[in-house]
């Protein structure tokens, strides 16, 4: 397997950070971003946080696998 490209690892990390940010905004609730108000939804927020952590774990695994080969 060839070494992972920076865009692939960077893209997965970015997706993880976006999911984490959205999750924490959903947990907090009532946050206004421009004309959009993020509702308070803690269950959805914690699921998004978990998804963000999984994306970041996947990026780390992709990076480590690429370094081994």
């Amino acid at each position: 397997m060839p070494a992972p490209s920076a865009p692939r690892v960077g893209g997965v990390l970015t997706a993880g950070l976006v999911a984490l940010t959205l999750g924490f905004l959903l947990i907090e609730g009532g946050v206004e971003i421009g004309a959009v108000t993020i509702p308070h939804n803690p269950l959805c927020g914690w699921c998004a946080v978990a998804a963000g952590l999984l994306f970041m774990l996947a990026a780390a695994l992709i990076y480590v696998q690429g370094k081994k080969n």
Side-chain angles (χ1 to χ4, degrees), residues 17-29 31 38 45-46 48-49:
L17 290 173
V18 167
L20 278 173
T21 304
L22 179 61
F24 286 123
L25 287 175
L26 283 168
I27 292 168
E28 181 67 27
V31 179
I38 306 293
W46 285 114
V49 168

Side-chain angles (χ1 to χ4, degrees), residues 11-56:
V12 176
L13 276 176
T14 302
L17 290 173
V18 167
L20 278 173
T21 304
L22 179 61
F24 286 123
L25 287 175
L26 283 168
I27 292 168
E28 181 67 27
V31 179
E32 290 185 15
I33 301 173
V36 177
T37 301
I38 306 293
H40 176 69
N41 193 339
L43 179 61
C44 242
W46 285 114
C47 289
V49 168
L53 292 175
L54 288 175
F55 270 111
M56 291 168 54

